[in-house]
Amino acid sequence: MINLVLEQNLAEDGYLFNTGKSFKSYEFLGCHVLSSGITVFNVWAPHAKSVAVVGDFNEWQDSDLTKVGTTGIWHGEFNGVDPGSLYKFAITGPDGERNLKIDPYAREFEKKPGDAAVVIKPTDKKWHDSLWMARRKRSDSKKRPMNIYELHLGSWRRHEDGSYYSYSEIADELIPYVKKMDYTHVELMPVMEHLLDASWGYQQLGYFAITSRFGDVTGFLDLVDKLHQANIGVLVDWVPGHFIRNYDALYQYDGTPTYEYQDENRANNRGWGAWNFDLGKAQVHSFLISSAFYWLDDCHLDGLRVDSVSNMLYLDYDVGKEGLTNQKGDNRNLEGIEFLQQLNQVVHQEHPDVLMIAEESSAYAGVTDSIDNGGLGFDYKWNLGWMHDTLKFFEMDPLYRRDNFNLLTFAFVYMLNEKFILPFSHDEVVHGKKSLMHKMPGDRYNQFANLRTLMTYLAVFPGKKLTFMGSEWGQFLEWRDWSQLEWVDLKDPMNHKMQTFMQSLNRIYRDSRPLWEQDFEPAGMIYSNTDDAQSSTMGFIRQGKRKHQFVVAAFNFVPVERKDYRIGVPYAGEYELLINTEDANYGGTWTKLETKFTADKTPFNGQPASFTTTLPAMGALLIQPTKLK
C-alpha cells in the first residue's frame, strides 16, 4: 500500500510527466535511496499488467510494485537494499509476457557485458568551479574564442596492457595537455552508458548514467570540476533521436511501443540499427528533456552537442522511408521540430549561458535562429558543408585546385546563414576515410605543409573551431576506437614540430580578438583577394570590433612560391608576422623569416593600401598591424 501523501505527490508528478512538462523527472522516477534507509523504486510502464523489481538483494525474485492511479507509474518501497546492489524491472505486458527491463532512469550500470542497474546513494559532490560558472553567466560565447578539442575517452589514452584510464587518470593527463595546447573546450563523445564499444556511445543504454568503463559518477563529476577550475569548458555529445536496439532496454518497454513510435516503420531506424524515439509523445519529451537537464544541472556541463538532428527533422531521412509525408504534404517531422524547439526553449530559460549545438547535415533553414522567428533555437550548428568542401579541396592534387576553387569560395555565400562551428571531427578520420594527415596529397613533407595550411585556414575562417584528437600532431593512422592514439608519433621530429605549430596557432587564435569577436557579423570579414583561382592563392582580413584591430591572412594552395605577392590592407603603416606555416621550427623550410612589413598607400584589390611579401609555397601567413598611419 502507498500512503496517501506519497500517492498524491506521485500523482502530481505523474500528471506533469504525462503532459510533457516534467523536466526534472529523474528526481522521482528510477531508484532513490532515502536517508531513512528505505529504497524507493518508481517506473513508468503505463500498459503493463504488473511490475516487480528483481535484484541480488532479493535473489532475483519478484518484489511487486503498485500502480499509482492512472499515471502509468509503478511504485515500491523496500528495506535491505544496499548501495551497490544490482537490479532490473520485471514487466509483464498486456499479452501476459514477462520480460526483464533496465531502469530507464538508472544513474549507474554494472560493467559490460551486464546491463543491470546499480543502486547508488545520492551524490554529495561539493563543487569548486564557482568562478567558472560565474564567468560563464557573464560572457557571450558568440564573442569569445571557442576552440574545441574533441576526444573519445576510451582511446585518447590507455594503459600499456590496453586497459582504460580512470576518470581521475584522464584528468591528470588531459587537463595539462589541453592547457598546453591552448584549447578552450573539450567535447567528449557520448559518455552516457553504452554496451558496445564500437558504437562510440551513440547507441545509448542509459540516458542518466555515466559509463562505468572509466569509473563512477563521482569520478566523472570530479573530472568536469577540475576542467572548469583549469578554465576549460566541457561539452558532451547527446543522442535524443534514437536508442539502443536491445530488447531488454527501452524497446517495447511495457510490452507495447512505449518510448518509440507506434508505427514500426517510423520506429525502426534501419540505417543505424536503432529505434527512433516517438518525439510526438509527451512522456518522451519529459524523459529526454529531463536527461538534458540532468547533465546540465547535476553534472555542470557547459553544453550538449545534439547528435543526428536531421534524423529528427525529416520523416524520410532513413533508408526505406522515401515518400513519407506529413499532414501538410512535405517531408518534415513536425513532431521532431516541435520537440527540438521545446528542448532549446526550456533549457535556455533556465540556463541562457549553456550551449546547445546541432549536428545537422541538411540545409534546413533557421537551425540557430530564434524560436520566435520559427527557428529551432540552437546556439550553434556544425558547418558540415564547409567541412566536406574544404577537405575535398585539400585532398586534391594541387594541380587541380585552380579548377575547383569554388569548393573554398562557395562557403563565403552562406557562412553567416547560421552560427556555425567548423568541425574536423571523428567522423572524418575513421571507416577508411583516413586521418587528416593521410588525406593530404604528396610526399611526407608536403602532407605536413598541407596540414599546417589547412589548420590555419580553419583558424581564421569565420566560425568557432573543432578538431579531433590526434589531428593536432598529424597522426597518420586513422582513428581506432580500440586502442590509444599513436603518441609514439611525437618521437618523430615532424610530428613533434606539427604539434608545436598547433600550439602556436591555437595561442594566436585565442589571443587575437579579430579571429573570434565578430564571427557572425558581416563586418568581421573583409574580402581582399578571394577569387584568384588561377594562382590558387587567397587573401582576406578578419576584422575586430576596433577598426585598427585586424588580422591579415594569405594562403598559397600550391607548392609554388609567390615572390612579390601583393596584399591589400585597410591602412598604410607597419605590420608584423604572427605565423608563417613554413617556419623551420614548425617543419617547414624557412630558416629566415620576413617578420616586418611596411604598407604604403598603393591601392590593391579594393583596399587603400598594400605591401608585398613572399608567399611561401603550400603555406600561409598571418600578419597583424603594429603602427598605422
Side-chain angles (χ1 to χ4, degrees), residues 410-428:
F410 179 59
F412 293 123
V413 176
Y414 65 86
M415 68 183 184
L416 297 179
N417 288 1
E418 303 277 4
K419 296 175 180 65
F420 284 122
I421 289 176
L422 310 175
F424 291 148
S425 75
H426 65 279
D427 276 330
E428 310 318 314

Side-chain angles (χ1 to χ4, degrees), residues 63-75:
S63 294
D64 292 333
L65 305 186
T66 302
K67 196 170 187 179
V68 182
T70 59
T71 62
I73 295 171
W74 297 74
H75 168 83

Side-chain angles (χ1 to χ4, degrees), residues 118-344:
V118 180
V119 177
I120 65 170
K121 290 181 179 179
T123 305
D124 59 354
K125 166 70 179 172
K126 291 181 174 59
W127 290 89
H128 303 89
D129 63 348
S130 57
L131 286 176
W132 169 268
M133 299 298 278
R135 191 182 303 117
R136 194 181 81 181
K137 288 181 179 179
R138 294 194 304 267
S139 64
D140 180 356
S141 69
K142 309 294 190 303
K143 300 173 183 177
R144 297 293 301 159
M146 186 182 300
N147 191 6
I148 305 165
Y149 186 62
E150 186 196 25
L151 69 149
H152 175 258
L153 292 182
S155 55
W156 186 71
R157 284 277 195 186
R158 287 199 183 189
H159 293 293
E160 288 186 7
D161 62 0
S163 61
Y164 294 122
Y165 270 35
S166 68
Y167 289 117
S168 176
E169 290 170 324
I170 291 167
D172 288 344
E173 296 209 23
L174 178 63
I175 292 170
Y177 184 75
V178 172
K179 292 292 288 183
K180 167 190 168 185
M181 295 302 297
D182 237 327
Y183 291 101
T184 64
H185 294 69
V186 295
E187 180 171 318
L188 309 178
M189 293 171 66
V191 291
M192 296 78 178
E193 191 59 88
H194 54 284
L195 292 177
L196 180 65
D197 288 348
S199 79
W200 311 333
Y202 293 100
Q203 299 278 11
Q204 291 182 5
L205 176 74
Y207 276 77
F208 298 83
I210 195 72
T211 179
S212 59
R213 285 166 174 78
F214 318 113
D216 60 16
V217 64
T218 300
F220 176 72
L221 298 182
D222 287 344
L223 170 62
V224 175
D225 199 359
K226 291 175 182 176
L227 282 160
H228 282 172
Q229 291 175 62
N231 203 32
I232 299 166
V234 186
L235 311 171
V236 168
D237 289 5
W238 181 62
V239 190
H242 60 274
F243 57 86
I244 191 172
R245 192 175 281 277
N246 297 35
Y247 280 35
D248 58 349
L250 297 183
Y251 175 68
Q252 299 252 329
Y253 192 76
D254 64 3
T256 70
T258 309
Y259 289 89
E260 71 276 20
Y261 287 103
Q262 189 79 26
D263 179 350
E264 186 172 350
N265 186 42
R266 291 192 68 185
N268 190 3
N269 191 315
R270 299 175 181 87
W272 293 323
W275 300 108
N276 290 322
F277 280 106
D278 182 350
L279 298 177
K281 187 176 286 187
Q283 297 89 342
V284 171
H285 283 213
S286 290
F287 174 78
L288 289 174
I289 295 175
S290 291
S291 171
F293 271 113
Y294 171 72
W295 297 104
L296 296 171
D297 279 352
D298 289 34
C299 301
H300 282 209
L301 297 184
D302 302 297
L304 300 173
R305 194 220 69 166
V306 181
D307 183 64
S308 308
V309 169
S310 300
N311 181 55
M312 294 182 274
L313 292 179
Y314 300 104
L315 296 170
D316 58 353
Y317 189 74
D318 191 21
V319 178
K321 299 180 183 178
E322 298 81 0
L324 283 181
T325 57
N326 58 37
Q327 59 266 38
K328 297 184 177 181
D330 60 53
N331 67 340
R332 291 174 301 153
N333 181 353
L334 300 178
E335 300 157 351
I337 292 168
E338 182 183 351
F339 163 73
L340 291 168
Q341 289 175 327
Q342 185 188 28
L343 166 71
N344 288 321

Side-chain angles (χ1 to χ4, degrees), residues 357-586:
I357 303 166
E359 188 233 5
E360 203 283 299
S361 56
S362 77
Y364 186 93
V367 172
T368 59
D369 202 356
S370 71
I371 295 167
D372 290 343
N373 289 337
L376 297 182
F378 282 97
D379 294 286
Y380 296 101
K381 172 182 173 176
W382 275 19
N383 194 338
L384 297 176
W386 176 90
M387 177 272 297
H388 282 298
D389 286 351
T390 300
L391 290 182
K392 185 176 180 181
F393 179 85
F394 271 87
E395 287 181 79
M396 285 182 178
D397 186 308
L399 182 65
Y400 305 110
R401 289 180 178 176
R402 66 180 183 181
D403 297 323
N404 293 277
F405 218 59
N406 63 306
L407 288 171
L408 294 186
T409 57
F410 179 59
F412 293 123
V413 176
Y414 65 86
M415 68 183 184
L416 297 179
N417 288 1
E418 303 277 4
K419 296 175 180 65
F420 284 122
I421 289 176
L422 310 175
F424 291 148
S425 75
H426 65 279
D427 276 330
E428 310 318 314
V429 293
V430 73
H431 294 327
K433 295 180 183 178
K434 302 186 288 191
S435 68
L436 287 190
M437 171 64 174
H438 196 180
K439 292 177 192 289
M440 300 297 106
D443 58 19
R444 184 166 167 77
Y445 170 80
N446 278 290
Q447 285 181 315
F448 274 110
N450 271 278
L451 186 58
R452 291 190 299 269
T453 303
L454 171 66
M455 290 303 197
T456 306
Y457 190 68
L458 167 68
V460 300
F461 196 91
K464 307 309 180 185
K465 326 297 177 187
L466 179 143
T467 50
F468 186 59
M469 62 183 195
S471 301
E472 71 271 21
W473 72 74
Q475 176 170 305
F476 187 80
L477 290 179
E478 69 174 19
W479 172 50
R480 301 172 299 179
D481 63 86
W482 62 89
S483 65
Q484 72 169 0
L485 294 178
E486 296 288 302
W487 293 96
V488 68
D489 285 352
L490 293 173
K491 295 181 179 179
D492 183 294
M494 290 296 287
N495 290 108
H496 184 75
K497 288 179 179 180
M498 181 69 204
Q499 186 190 48
T500 301
F501 169 77
M502 285 302 299
Q503 188 177 358
S504 298
L505 183 65
N506 288 348
R507 185 168 296 114
I508 289 168
Y509 167 75
R510 190 165 191 161
D511 291 345
S512 301
R513 299 179 70 90
L515 297 182
W516 40 261
E517 68 178 354
Q518 293 201 106
D519 270 328
F520 311 114
E521 302 293 335
M525 182 75 162
I526 298 173
Y527 303 92
S528 58
N529 183 31
T530 55
D531 58 356
D532 191 359
Q534 191 62 32
S535 69
S536 294
T537 63
M538 178 181 287
F540 55 82
I541 297 167
R542 292 301 311 277
Q543 177 66 56
K545 282 189 174 181
R546 297 181 179 179
K547 64 179 184 178
H548 289 165
Q549 285 188 338
F550 55 90
V551 171
V552 180
F555 296 90
N556 186 357
F557 299 115
V558 291
V560 179
E561 187 174 87
R562 306 293 184 184
K563 295 184 181 296
D564 297 320
Y565 184 79
R566 185 166 290 276
I567 298 174
V569 290
Y571 305 98
E574 302 303 316
Y575 290 75
E576 68 178 3
L577 180 71
L578 283 172
I579 202 165
N580 179 335
T581 62
E582 277 298 291
D583 186 332
N585 293 316
Y586 303 140

